[in-house]
Amino acid sequence: MNIVMVASESLPFAKSGGLADVVYSLSSALVSKGEKVSIILPYYQQIAKKGIELEYVAQYDIRMSWRDQAVTLYKKEEEGIDYYFIANDYYFRREKMYDYMDDGERFAFFALASTEAIRYLKEKVDIVHVHDWQAAIIPTLVAENYYKDPTFAGIKFVLTIHNPAFKGMLDRYFVSDFFNLSDYLFDIGKIRFEGMFSTLKSGIIYSDVITTVSPTHREELLTREGGQGLDTVLEYRRDDFYGILNGIDYEEWSPHKDPFIAKKYNKTSLEIGKHLNQADLLRSYNLHWYGGPVYGMVSRLTWQKGVDLVLEEARSILSKGGNFVLLGSGEYEVEQKFEALRTQYPDTCGIYIGYNNALAHKIYAGCDFFLMPSLFEPCGLSQMIAQRYGTLPICRKTGGLADSVHPYDGVISGKEDGLLFEDYNIQGLDYAIYRAEELYRNQEGYYKVARVAMNQDHSWATSAKNYLTLYRKVLKKK
Ligand code: ADP
Ligand code: GLC
């Protein structure tokens, strides 16, 4: 099978969150099963700066409203995956990947240029797998604008929704001005969402199948409360809508061979490993330990992640003499609030604002508990990484967190591998912390649960198999 992924980020070139991990790990797993995989990405400045040698593939223009924008298409083969880069200085030679006023136009260009790029792939494509709003318009473009083009004949489209909060809401003039689509599609409501043009909704309507990244999140998206407005449109596609739980990359995330941590360890050497890595983590943040549990968080700092609850809970943890360390970046006000917390507890609270992969590894290995009280979480990778390192995740029971954490609730039966709470409020989180501290006081019990967490199989093997089955099924569809 020849599969093309189109996404706004993928490891090892560009990452802001789990999307990059998933696009890369799924592709690698598919390659190891003998499939051919290409990934199309924007050629961001941060990739250009790496100075990687690229192969020139083609040059072409994309009509963007009243002007043409040039695309240079490059290629790089790495670990059996063909990466294709869409280069255009005007749109992508910028400091950050996102958060510009014209993101709508930037990714409209990316989607249009990626569709054209498919022409330059050597082998006939079977599946185009588009991820999130930035690429979600591609199935619509092909169905409406390329239906007579033999290059695209027979291609099936899979859309994965990683984050339904971002729907690609664009002004209606994008429909005809940028995408050359008929206004009629907007007028009859096919690509319209809450009065605007939505690339994500269009993707849901036009893709052959739609997936999201956990079974529970699929169920949530079909409800009014958890659907983020998409429930009715997803209900219409219910039979073609699947929930497949992500995995994590065991090459990157394995304490027995992690080059970033002070002391490598496995299940047998967990106690000593935890102890030495914790000391190293506290040293990295220049913190003092007063004998309490060490809580950590690695996250995009945005409302989705329950940062308001963490701010409140961290204050209470710190006031009891515990440690709290954070690595993250995101909304400026949230960053400032965490900085203020550090000022208040300088010798027990560590805050690092920014992106830092090495420090992320140290946190997963060195903490006792990992905080992830998300308001919603389509899958979440951090809780699975924490488990892999024998660090117990404290999560809200939502989306993929509900699917991957079996909560300790006062009794150790041999199945528990983390902590969960239901209601999104401080009392809910307080309860989980109360249980966590109870477990921490019983060190034997804590390590028993931590070992169960380490034993979980979150490898990509199962998830990749599920995607393959889905690709095969969709290829058989008329
Ligand atoms: P999301 O994709 O919603 O951000 P996930 O849990 O799926 O959440 O994935 C987040 C990934 O990004 C994890 O691998 C996490 O370790 C990583 N990550 C998040 N913030 C940072 C950061 N500031 N520095 C390093 N890694 C980070
Ligand atoms: C999104 C979601 C996260 C998920 C990731 C990868 O960023 O917020 O829950 O794990 O995508 O699918």
Side-chain angles (χ1 to χ4, degrees), residues 230-262:
L230 296 170
D231 49 311
T232 39
V233 57
L234 284 168
E235 184 60 43
Y236 170 70
R237 297 299 316 271
R238 176 185 269 273
D239 294 342
D240 299 311
F241 181 34
Y242 299 83
I244 302 179
L245 194 70
N246 290 329
I248 53 169
D249 181 359
Y250 279 7
E251 286 305 306
E252 172 83 13
W253 304 110
S254 284
H256 67 274
K257 56 175 183 187
D258 188 329
F260 295 110
I261 62 176

Short mmCIF file of all heavy atoms in Angstrom, two decimals, residues 230-262:
data_model
loop_
_atom_site.label_atom_id
_atom_site.label_comp_id
_atom_site.label_asym_id
_atom_site.label_seq_id
_atom_site.Cartn_x
_atom_site.Cartn_y
_atom_site.Cartn_z
N LEU A 230 -19.42 19.38 17.07
CA LEU A 230 -19.31 18.51 15.89
C LEU A 230 -20.23 17.29 15.95
O LEU A 230 -20.25 16.47 15.04
CB LEU A 230 -17.86 18.02 15.73
CG LEU A 230 -16.80 19.09 15.46
CD1 LEU A 230 -15.41 18.50 15.57
CD2 LEU A 230 -17.00 19.68 14.05
N ASP A 231 -20.99 17.15 17.06
CA ASP A 231 -21.75 15.92 17.26
C ASP A 231 -22.73 15.61 16.13
O ASP A 231 -22.81 14.48 15.67
CB ASP A 231 -22.46 15.92 18.63
CG ASP A 231 -23.23 17.20 18.88
OD1 ASP A 231 -22.65 18.29 18.69
OD2 ASP A 231 -24.41 17.14 19.26
N THR A 232 -23.43 16.63 15.63
CA THR A 232 -24.44 16.32 14.60
C THR A 232 -23.77 15.89 13.29
O THR A 232 -24.21 14.95 12.65
CB THR A 232 -25.41 17.48 14.35
OG1 THR A 232 -24.67 18.68 14.41
CG2 THR A 232 -26.53 17.51 15.35
N VAL A 233 -22.70 16.58 12.93
CA VAL A 233 -22.06 16.21 11.67
C VAL A 233 -21.38 14.84 11.79
O VAL A 233 -21.41 14.01 10.87
CB VAL A 233 -21.12 17.33 11.14
CG1 VAL A 233 -20.08 17.70 12.13
CG2 VAL A 233 -20.45 16.94 9.85
N LEU A 234 -20.83 14.54 12.97
CA LEU A 234 -20.21 13.22 13.16
C LEU A 234 -21.26 12.12 13.23
O LEU A 234 -21.04 11.00 12.78
CB LEU A 234 -19.31 13.22 14.39
CG LEU A 234 -17.97 13.94 14.16
CD1 LEU A 234 -17.24 14.18 15.47
CD2 LEU A 234 -17.08 13.15 13.19
N GLU A 235 -22.41 12.47 13.80
CA GLU A 235 -23.51 11.51 13.87
C GLU A 235 -23.89 11.07 12.44
O GLU A 235 -24.11 9.89 12.17
CB GLU A 235 -24.70 12.17 14.58
CG GLU A 235 -25.90 11.26 14.80
CD GLU A 235 -25.57 10.04 15.65
OE1 GLU A 235 -24.86 10.18 16.66
OE2 GLU A 235 -26.03 8.94 15.26
N TYR A 236 -23.89 12.03 11.55
CA TYR A 236 -24.20 11.76 10.14
C TYR A 236 -23.20 10.79 9.52
O TYR A 236 -23.52 10.00 8.64
CB TYR A 236 -24.21 13.13 9.45
CG TYR A 236 -24.29 13.12 7.95
CD1 TYR A 236 -25.45 12.73 7.30
CD2 TYR A 236 -23.19 13.52 7.19
CE1 TYR A 236 -25.52 12.74 5.91
CE2 TYR A 236 -23.24 13.53 5.81
CZ TYR A 236 -24.40 13.13 5.18
OH TYR A 236 -24.46 13.13 3.82
N ARG A 237 -21.94 10.81 10.02
CA ARG A 237 -20.90 9.90 9.51
C ARG A 237 -20.59 8.76 10.49
O ARG A 237 -19.55 8.10 10.37
CB ARG A 237 -19.59 10.70 9.25
CG ARG A 237 -19.68 11.78 8.19
CD ARG A 237 -20.04 11.27 6.80
NE ARG A 237 -19.38 10.07 6.34
CZ ARG A 237 -18.21 10.04 5.69
NH1 ARG A 237 -17.56 11.16 5.44
NH2 ARG A 237 -17.70 8.90 5.29
N ARG A 238 -21.45 8.55 11.46
CA ARG A 238 -21.21 7.60 12.56
C ARG A 238 -20.61 6.26 12.10
O ARG A 238 -19.66 5.75 12.69
CB ARG A 238 -22.52 7.36 13.31
CG ARG A 238 -22.45 6.32 14.40
CD ARG A 238 -23.83 6.08 14.99
NE ARG A 238 -24.10 6.93 16.13
CZ ARG A 238 -23.76 6.63 17.38
NH1 ARG A 238 -23.17 5.50 17.65
NH2 ARG A 238 -24.03 7.45 18.37
N ASP A 239 -21.17 5.69 11.03
CA ASP A 239 -20.72 4.36 10.60
C ASP A 239 -19.32 4.36 10.02
O ASP A 239 -18.70 3.31 9.85
CB ASP A 239 -21.70 3.77 9.57
CG ASP A 239 -23.05 3.50 10.19
OD1 ASP A 239 -23.12 3.44 11.44
OD2 ASP A 239 -24.04 3.38 9.44
N ASP A 240 -18.84 5.53 9.65
CA ASP A 240 -17.48 5.62 9.09
C ASP A 240 -16.54 6.30 10.08
O ASP A 240 -15.49 6.82 9.68
CB ASP A 240 -17.51 6.45 7.79
CG ASP A 240 -18.38 5.81 6.74
OD1 ASP A 240 -18.22 4.61 6.50
OD2 ASP A 240 -19.23 6.52 6.17
N PHE A 241 -16.91 6.34 11.33
CA PHE A 241 -16.14 7.08 12.33
C PHE A 241 -15.58 6.10 13.36
O PHE A 241 -16.34 5.35 13.98
CB PHE A 241 -17.07 8.12 12.97
CG PHE A 241 -16.43 8.98 14.01
CD1 PHE A 241 -15.09 9.37 13.93
CD2 PHE A 241 -17.17 9.45 15.11
CE1 PHE A 241 -14.52 10.18 14.89
CE2 PHE A 241 -16.61 10.26 16.08
CZ PHE A 241 -15.28 10.62 15.96
N TYR A 242 -14.27 6.12 13.54
CA TYR A 242 -13.59 5.14 14.41
C TYR A 242 -12.75 5.84 15.46
O TYR A 242 -12.27 6.95 15.25
CB TYR A 242 -12.66 4.25 13.57
CG TYR A 242 -13.39 3.46 12.51
CD1 TYR A 242 -13.70 4.03 11.28
CD2 TYR A 242 -13.79 2.14 12.75
CE1 TYR A 242 -14.38 3.31 10.30
CE2 TYR A 242 -14.48 1.42 11.79
CZ TYR A 242 -14.77 2.01 10.56
OH TYR A 242 -15.45 1.30 9.62
N GLY A 243 -12.53 5.13 16.59
CA GLY A 243 -11.63 5.63 17.63
C GLY A 243 -10.48 4.66 17.79
O GLY A 243 -10.69 3.51 18.17
N ILE A 244 -9.28 5.11 17.46
CA ILE A 244 -8.10 4.23 17.58
C ILE A 244 -7.11 4.89 18.54
O ILE A 244 -6.64 6.00 18.29
CB ILE A 244 -7.42 4.00 16.21
CG1 ILE A 244 -8.41 3.38 15.20
CG2 ILE A 244 -6.17 3.12 16.36
CD1 ILE A 244 -7.84 3.15 13.81
N LEU A 245 -6.81 4.17 19.62
CA LEU A 245 -5.91 4.73 20.64
C LEU A 245 -4.48 4.84 20.09
O LEU A 245 -3.97 3.90 19.49
CB LEU A 245 -5.91 3.81 21.87
CG LEU A 245 -5.30 4.39 23.14
CD1 LEU A 245 -6.16 5.50 23.71
CD2 LEU A 245 -5.10 3.30 24.21
N ASN A 246 -3.85 6.00 20.32
CA ASN A 246 -2.44 6.17 19.93
C ASN A 246 -1.54 5.27 20.76
O ASN A 246 -1.92 4.80 21.83
CB ASN A 246 -1.97 7.60 20.24
CG ASN A 246 -2.60 8.64 19.34
OD1 ASN A 246 -2.91 8.36 18.19
ND2 ASN A 246 -2.76 9.84 19.86
N GLY A 247 -0.33 5.12 20.29
CA GLY A 247 0.70 4.47 21.09
C GLY A 247 1.79 5.49 21.37
O GLY A 247 1.65 6.68 21.04
N ILE A 248 2.88 5.04 21.98
CA ILE A 248 4.06 5.91 22.13
C ILE A 248 5.25 5.21 21.49
O ILE A 248 5.25 3.98 21.34
CB ILE A 248 4.35 6.29 23.60
CG1 ILE A 248 4.45 5.05 24.49
CG2 ILE A 248 3.29 7.25 24.13
CD1 ILE A 248 4.98 5.33 25.89
N ASP A 249 6.24 5.99 21.15
CA ASP A 249 7.41 5.47 20.46
C ASP A 249 8.41 4.91 21.48
O ASP A 249 9.04 5.66 22.22
CB ASP A 249 8.04 6.62 19.66
CG ASP A 249 9.26 6.19 18.88
OD1 ASP A 249 9.64 5.00 18.98
OD2 ASP A 249 9.83 7.04 18.18
N TYR A 250 8.53 3.60 21.52
CA TYR A 250 9.40 2.96 22.52
C TYR A 250 10.89 3.20 22.25
O TYR A 250 11.71 3.00 23.14
CB TYR A 250 9.10 1.46 22.59
CG TYR A 250 7.88 1.12 23.44
CD1 TYR A 250 7.05 2.13 23.94
CD2 TYR A 250 7.56 -0.19 23.75
CE1 TYR A 250 5.94 1.83 24.71
CE2 TYR A 250 6.44 -0.50 24.54
CZ TYR A 250 5.65 0.52 25.01
OH TYR A 250 4.55 0.22 25.79
N GLU A 251 11.22 3.60 21.03
CA GLU A 251 12.63 3.94 20.77
C GLU A 251 13.00 5.22 21.52
O GLU A 251 14.09 5.35 22.06
CB GLU A 251 12.87 4.14 19.26
CG GLU A 251 12.88 2.87 18.46
CD GLU A 251 13.88 1.86 19.01
OE1 GLU A 251 15.06 2.23 19.16
OE2 GLU A 251 13.47 0.72 19.32
N GLU A 252 12.04 6.14 21.54
CA GLU A 252 12.28 7.44 22.20
C GLU A 252 12.05 7.33 23.71
O GLU A 252 12.76 7.95 24.50
CB GLU A 252 11.33 8.47 21.59
CG GLU A 252 11.28 9.83 22.26
CD GLU A 252 12.39 10.78 21.83
OE1 GLU A 252 13.04 10.47 20.81
OE2 GLU A 252 12.60 11.80 22.50
N TRP A 253 11.03 6.57 24.09
CA TRP A 253 10.59 6.58 25.49
C TRP A 253 10.76 5.21 26.15
O TRP A 253 9.83 4.43 26.21
CB TRP A 253 9.12 7.01 25.56
CG TRP A 253 8.83 8.34 24.93
CD1 TRP A 253 8.14 8.56 23.78
CD2 TRP A 253 9.21 9.64 25.42
NE1 TRP A 253 8.07 9.91 23.52
CE2 TRP A 253 8.72 10.59 24.51
CE3 TRP A 253 9.92 10.08 26.54
CZ2 TRP A 253 8.92 11.96 24.67
CZ3 TRP A 253 10.12 11.45 26.70
CH2 TRP A 253 9.63 12.36 25.78
N SER A 254 11.95 4.93 26.62
CA SER A 254 12.21 3.69 27.34
C SER A 254 13.29 3.95 28.38
O SER A 254 14.42 4.25 28.02
CB SER A 254 12.71 2.60 26.38
OG SER A 254 11.63 2.09 25.65
N PRO A 255 12.95 3.82 29.67
CA PRO A 255 13.92 4.18 30.71
C PRO A 255 15.20 3.33 30.69
O PRO A 255 16.23 3.79 31.16
CB PRO A 255 13.15 3.98 32.02
CG PRO A 255 11.97 3.16 31.68
CD PRO A 255 11.66 3.40 30.24
N HIS A 256 15.14 2.12 30.11
CA HIS A 256 16.35 1.30 30.14
C HIS A 256 17.38 1.71 29.11
O HIS A 256 18.52 1.26 29.15
CB HIS A 256 16.00 -0.20 30.01
CG HIS A 256 15.44 -0.55 28.66
ND1 HIS A 256 14.12 -0.44 28.36
CD2 HIS A 256 16.04 -0.99 27.53
CE1 HIS A 256 13.91 -0.81 27.11
NE2 HIS A 256 15.06 -1.14 26.58
N LYS A 257 16.97 2.59 28.15
CA LYS A 257 17.97 3.01 27.16
C LYS A 257 17.86 4.50 26.84
O LYS A 257 18.21 4.94 25.75
CB LYS A 257 17.84 2.17 25.89
CG LYS A 257 16.48 2.18 25.26
CD LYS A 257 16.51 1.41 23.95
CE LYS A 257 15.17 1.47 23.27
NZ LYS A 257 15.05 0.66 22.10
N ASP A 258 17.36 5.27 27.81
CA ASP A 258 17.15 6.70 27.58
C ASP A 258 18.45 7.48 27.79
O ASP A 258 18.96 7.55 28.91
CB ASP A 258 16.05 7.18 28.56
CG ASP A 258 15.61 8.59 28.27
OD1 ASP A 258 16.44 9.38 27.78
OD2 ASP A 258 14.43 8.91 28.54
N PRO A 259 19.00 8.09 26.73
CA PRO A 259 20.27 8.78 26.88
C PRO A 259 20.17 10.11 27.63
O PRO A 259 21.18 10.69 28.01
CB PRO A 259 20.70 9.03 25.42
CG PRO A 259 19.43 9.07 24.65
CD PRO A 259 18.48 8.14 25.35
N PHE A 260 18.93 10.59 27.83
CA PHE A 260 18.78 11.91 28.47
C PHE A 260 18.74 11.85 29.99
O PHE A 260 18.82 12.87 30.65
CB PHE A 260 17.49 12.57 27.98
CG PHE A 260 17.50 12.88 26.51
CD1 PHE A 260 16.68 12.18 25.64
CD2 PHE A 260 18.32 13.88 26.00
CE1 PHE A 260 16.68 12.47 24.28
CE2 PHE A 260 18.33 14.18 24.65
CZ PHE A 260 17.51 13.46 23.79
N ILE A 261 18.55 10.65 30.56
CA ILE A 261 18.36 10.61 32.01
C ILE A 261 19.65 10.19 32.74
O ILE A 261 20.52 9.55 32.16
CB ILE A 261 17.16 9.71 32.41
CG1 ILE A 261 17.37 8.25 31.97
CG2 ILE A 261 15.87 10.23 31.79
CD1 ILE A 261 16.26 7.29 32.41
N ALA A 262 19.72 10.59 34.02
CA ALA A 262 20.96 10.40 34.79
C ALA A 262 21.27 8.91 34.99
O ALA A 262 22.42 8.50 34.95
CB ALA A 262 20.83 11.09 36.14
#
